[in-house]
Amino acid sequence: MRGSAPSSHLRSLVTDEYAESAEYIDILISPFWDDFGPVLADAIKAIDPAGPVIDIGAGSGCGTLAIGDALPMAEIFAVEPSAGLRSALLAKVNAHESLRDRVTVLPEGFLEAELPDRLGLVVAMNVIGHFSSAERRDIWKLLAERLAPGGRAVLNLQPPSEAVDIPEALASTGSIGRRRYECRARAEPTGDGTLTWHMTYRTYQGDDVVDQREVSYSWHLVAEPQLRDELAQAGLRLHPLEPTDLGMYAITRT
Ligand SMILES: C[S@@+](CC[C@H](N)C(=O)[O-])C[C@H]1O[C@@H](n2cnc3c(N)ncnc32)[C@H](O)[C@@H]1O
């Protein structure tokens, strides 16, 4: 294992942008996994990972579960710096006997986590915009150095890839018992290749709003040609996955 492991009391150096919204995330992101899950499973099922799997920014564990099902023998490191989301992740891993013995949950940011020297698969779903271009360069370098022969990474690019205004719209909704949870999202360009997303999370009982949270965070834009370029500079290749409207890609060593 290599990496600049922080002492345990330091934990994550990453700002927790999900501290306010954590209880909403699993409910509101899981519907997207109905589409992402089968594509991810298809992209990884044939690989025989000659090293553990890393789930970068595992969130509440929807992807971790999909990886665990597709690769029933693989050891998985689920890296999740947000304490609230890590609670949901740990609960999901603990609830699945097939995961409990082989998923290790790491509380640092990906670039601060102590990771194995050889990696079979790296998954970065719905997370790459949290990394600046300099941080992405570090990620590609790490992949180029540590991906095992035959290994790969899988990630997605979330639209938009350009600095444009996104008017507010319903992003996701889901119900638990008598309550309905929703997220509305809008975004505005904030220069230097970033958008600022403004999310409003609400809980309804009937027509009454019983909880409301406002969260804003910065998202680094990257389009496919730029990503292809960055990867090529690190000696890596980008392969779009079908259906292409999901914006999912596999990355291999050249
Ligand atoms: C939109 S959520 C996606 C969660 C999960 N991958 C999914 O698709 O269900 C983004 C996740 O990235 C995590 N994250 C943000 N910065 C990170 C970093 N530097 N290293 C690792 N994870 C990070 C957040 O805490 C959050 O859980």
Side-chain angles (χ1 to χ4, degrees):
M1 305 268 272
R2 279 190 291 175
S4 50
S7 60
S8 58
H9 66 279
L10 278 179
R11 291 297 173 92
S12 176
L13 302 173
V14 177
T15 310
D16 185 358
E17 287 166 321
Y18 293 83
E20 272 292 293
S21 58
E23 73 188 77
Y24 285 87
I25 298 298
D26 188 64
I27 302 165
L28 297 176
I29 208 164
S30 51
F32 295 95
W33 277 95
D34 291 346
D35 292 328
F36 292 140
V39 179
L40 177 61
D42 203 49
I44 65 178
K45 65 173 190 249
I47 70 167
D48 178 13
V53 178
I54 310 296
D55 188 4
I56 305 181
S60 64
C62 295
T64 316
L65 192 53
I67 297 163
D69 284 347
L71 299 173
M73 303 307 287
E75 181 179 15
I76 302 171
F77 288 82
V79 183
E80 180 43 61
S82 162
L85 286 175
R86 205 164 55 247
S87 301
L89 171 65
L90 281 163
K92 196 165 285 175
V93 170
N94 191 38
H96 289 83
E97 208 173 324
S98 65
L99 298 181
R100 208 179 300 133
D101 289 342
R102 62 191 176 104
V103 177
T104 300
V105 174
L106 300 178
E108 295 86 14
F110 174 65
L111 290 169
E112 290 81 44
E114 188 173 355
L115 300 171
D117 293 345
R118 261 282 170 261
L119 305 176
L121 169 70
V122 175
V123 174
M125 288 298 295
N126 305 308
V127 70
I128 209 68
H130 283 303
F131 295 94
S132 67
S133 59
E135 290 170 327
R136 284 198 306 273
R137 234 185 350 263
D138 290 345
I139 298 176
W140 311 147
K141 184 167 177 285
L142 187 147
L143 293 185
E145 287 172 359
R146 299 200 200 182
L147 265 188
R152 53 177 49 193
V154 175
L155 56 67
N156 69 327
L157 298 181
Q158 290 172 276
S161 55
E162 306 86 35
V164 291
D165 269 303
I166 307 289
E168 186 175 279
L170 181 66
S172 185
T173 183
S175 293
I176 303 278
R178 295 187 180 203
R179 296 200 162 181
R180 187 173 69 77
Y181 300 82
E182 70 163 37
C183 173
R184 303 185 74 81
R186 68 182 173 85
E188 65 199 358
T190 32
D192 66 7
T194 60
L195 283 185
T196 299
W197 281 100
H198 301 283
M199 324 294 278
T200 304
Y201 294 90
R202 290 195 183 97
T203 306
Y204 288 89
Q205 178 136 344
D207 291 333
D208 296 334
V209 176
V210 294
D211 183 48
Q212 177 165 322
R213 320 264 174 100
E214 314 277 348
V215 177
S216 295
Y217 60 85
S218 193
W219 191 252
H220 297 273
L221 297 165
V222 56
E224 181 182 320
Q226 183 187 346
L227 178 62
R228 191 178 294 282
D229 238 46
E230 291 179 5
L231 292 170
Q233 283 172 37
L236 297 166
R237 281 178 59 190
L238 187 67
H239 313 267
L241 297 173
E242 300 283 347
T244 52
D245 61 316
L246 288 182
M248 292 178 66
Y249 299 87
I251 294 170
T252 57
R253 288 164 63 172
T254 47

